[in-house]
């Protein structure tokens, strides 16, 4: 209705004014309004109507110099045609941008889904491997004569614990992918370290790896305990695999905790194969790994978790051989009641 009223108003003004006044140029306002509400074909039709009205007004007008009127007629028709062309090009460009943004959004969601899938595959692999190991151990205990029921029961308990741990890991990764903050409470850092070590004790014993502790008491960072165990489990597994793949006969992992400034800092040092300059630059990148069977998500997840806690993580060569990873978390002065 407003568009029709504008057309009528411009037509009347253009008809009753002299040839020297190019009132028909104001039809471009109708074109600019139309591109917001009409289809591409509708805008073209409107432009044709505007040009037709301009010609009719020129025919009906009786005032002014006819030669000037012809010049203004050409100017008005050109302005309408050019405005229509440019307006349609702008609308097409905006549509292309909108489609590109939508495509980018779809690609981003697919990338996030792929990263989340890779993260779940990597993280859940650890408790699943532990479940398989405990299940095989339980079968061996039950197959003995007489069956070692106490040992089998312990293996089943480990299976339940690892199953629950896998479920918790998936929940943590989903929250991490959605950008939700970790559920932080004051935790006894050394207690978390010892609990995580107990979960990996079987792997240490199987590979004949010595773990040497140097822990500082009274460290209570604000952290999500399960996510902190997830980080420690990843880093310890990396150290175990580095020693397995290394050439050193000294099969040792040093695990320490200390206070540095306002942070509780954990250091895990191994005597494994060590790091190259390229490793140091790329190991925290997603899907980059030095392991034949790795998928390159472990350190990426660790960094995401630590940084979500307001902490830091670094990786550098250990002396005389191997690698050393350190991460820090902000400290509380006293544990929460």
């Amino acid at each position: 209705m407003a568009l029709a009223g504008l057309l009528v108003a411009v037509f009347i003004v253009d008809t009753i004014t002299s040839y020297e006044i190019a009132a028909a140029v104001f039809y471009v306002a109708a074109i600019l309004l139309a591109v917001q509400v009409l289809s591409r074909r509708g805008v073209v039709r409107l432009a044709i109507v505007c040009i037709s009205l301009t010609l009719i007004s020129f025919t009906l007008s009786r005032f002014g110099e006819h030669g000037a009127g012809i010049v203004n007629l050409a100017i008005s028709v050109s302005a309408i045609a050019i405005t229509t062309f440019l307006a349609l090009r702008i609308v097409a460009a905006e549509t292309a941008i909108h489609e590109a943004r939508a495509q980018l959004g779809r690609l981003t969601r697919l990338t996030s889904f792929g990263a989340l899938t890779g993260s779940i595959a990597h993280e859940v692999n650890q408790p699943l491997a532990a479940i398989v190991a405990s299940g095989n151990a339980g079968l061996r205990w039950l197959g003995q004569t007489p069956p070692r029921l106490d040992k089998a029961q312990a293996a089943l308990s480990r299976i339940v614990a690892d199953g629950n741990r896998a479920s918790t890991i998936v929940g943590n990764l989903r929250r991490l992918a959605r950008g939700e903050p970790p559920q932080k409470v004051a935790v006894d850092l050394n207690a978390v370290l010892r609990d995580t070590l107990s979960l990996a004790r079987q792997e240490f014993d199987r590979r004949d790896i010595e773990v040497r502790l140097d822990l500082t008491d009274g460290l209570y960072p604000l952290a999500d305990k399960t996510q902190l165990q997830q980080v420690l489990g990843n880093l310890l597994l990396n150290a175990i695999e580095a020693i397995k793949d290394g050439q050193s006969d000294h099969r040792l992992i040093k695990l320490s905790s200390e206070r540095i400034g306002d942070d509780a800092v954990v250091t895990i040092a191994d005597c494994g194969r060590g790091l190259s300059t390229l490793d140091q630059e790329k190991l925290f990148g997603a899907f980059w790994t030095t392991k034949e069977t790795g998928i390159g998500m472990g350190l990426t997840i660790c960094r995401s978790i630590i940084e979500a806690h307001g902490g830091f993580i670094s990786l550098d060569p250990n002396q005389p051989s191997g690698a050393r990873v350190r991460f820090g978390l902000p400290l509380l002065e006293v544990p929460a009641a």
Side-chain angles (χ1 to χ4, degrees):
M1 184 63 69
L3 198 59
L6 178 60
L7 293 178
V8 171
V10 174
F11 176 78
I12 293 174
V13 172
D14 189 34
T15 302
I16 65 176
T17 55
S18 67
Y19 287 130
E20 286 83 357
I21 300 175
V25 171
F26 289 101
Y27 282 123
V28 300
I31 300 296
L32 295 176
L33 289 175
V35 296
Q36 306 297 325
V37 295
L38 298 180
S39 65
R40 181 185 181 89
R41 183 172 297 179
V43 173
V44 172
R45 289 175 177 173
L46 178 65
I48 294 172
V49 170
C50 291
I51 292 173
S52 300
L53 291 175
T54 302
L55 295 172
I56 294 172
S57 294
F58 177 79
T59 303
L60 297 177
S61 182
R62 293 291 183 268
F63 307 100
E65 184 181 350
H66 191 267
I70 293 177
V71 172
N72 284 336
L73 173 65
I75 292 174
S76 299
V77 171
S78 298
I80 294 170
I82 292 172
T83 300
T84 302
F85 174 76
L86 293 178
L88 291 176
R89 290 294 298 271
I90 291 172
V91 170
E94 290 177 346
T95 301
I97 291 172
H98 179 74
E99 292 177 354
R101 286 176 177 170
Q103 181 68 13
L104 179 61
R106 288 192 292 270
L107 290 174
T108 301
R109 287 192 293 272
L110 288 173
T111 302
S112 299
F113 177 76
L116 178 60
T117 302
S119 301
I120 292 174
H122 180 277
E123 296 299 297
V124 174
N125 183 60
Q126 297 178 35
L128 288 181
I131 288 172
V132 171
S134 297
N136 288 331
L139 289 174
R140 286 195 301 271
W141 293 122
L142 290 174
Q144 290 188 0
T145 305
R148 294 293 303 276
L149 297 180
D150 55 336
K151 296 290 187 178
Q153 184 177 7
L156 289 174
S157 297
R158 289 196 299 271
I159 289 174
V160 172
D162 285 321
N164 290 331
R165 184 158 65 99
S167 177
T168 302
I169 286 173
V170 172
N172 286 337
L173 288 172
R174 291 179 62 188
R175 290 197 299 271
L176 194 65
R178 291 197 298 262
E180 296 180 8
Q183 300 174 353
K184 295 184 286 188
V185 296
V187 297
D188 185 339
L189 180 59
N190 291 341
V192 176
L193 292 176
R194 291 189 177 96
D195 288 345
T196 308
L197 283 174
S198 66
L199 293 173
R201 179 58 59 187
Q202 184 178 0
E203 192 68 16
F204 291 130
D205 294 340
R206 187 169 69 88
R207 298 188 184 277
D208 193 26
I209 296 174
E210 177 189 356
V211 179
R212 190 174 299 169
L213 298 180
D214 182 14
L215 306 181
T216 300
D217 293 331
L219 300 178
Y220 292 91
L222 193 64
D224 184 310
K225 181 178 179 180
T226 303
Q227 289 190 1
L228 184 54
Q229 286 181 323
Q230 189 176 341
V231 170
L232 289 167
N234 260 315
L235 299 180
L236 286 172
L237 181 61
N238 286 345
I240 291 171
E241 293 181 347
I243 291 176
K244 179 191 71 173
D245 297 337
Q247 303 298 322
S248 175
D249 294 331
H250 195 195
R251 308 177 72 78
L252 172 67
I253 293 176
K254 295 180 180 180
L255 178 60
S256 65
S257 64
E258 59 184 321
R259 175 171 184 155
I260 300 179
D262 294 328
D263 295 320
V265 178
V266 174
T267 303
I268 301 174
D270 64 67
C271 300
R273 62 179 178 270
L275 296 170
S276 67
T277 303
L278 182 62
D279 290 343
Q280 291 177 255
E281 293 175 352
K282 293 188 174 182
L283 272 177
F284 284 105
F287 303 111
W288 195 91
T289 181
T290 60
K291 306 172 188 175
E292 293 182 0
T293 58
I295 62 173
M297 290 302 299
L299 287 175
T300 304
I301 295 168
C302 290
R303 182 174 62 178
S304 298
I305 291 175
I306 294 299
E307 291 180 352
H309 281 75
F312 67 88
I313 185 169
S314 63
L315 183 65
D316 52 58
N318 188 34
Q319 298 300 330
S321 65
R324 181 183 67 171
V325 62
R326 308 178 77 194
F327 69 85
L329 299 170
L331 268 173
L332 293 178
E333 290 301 323
V334 294

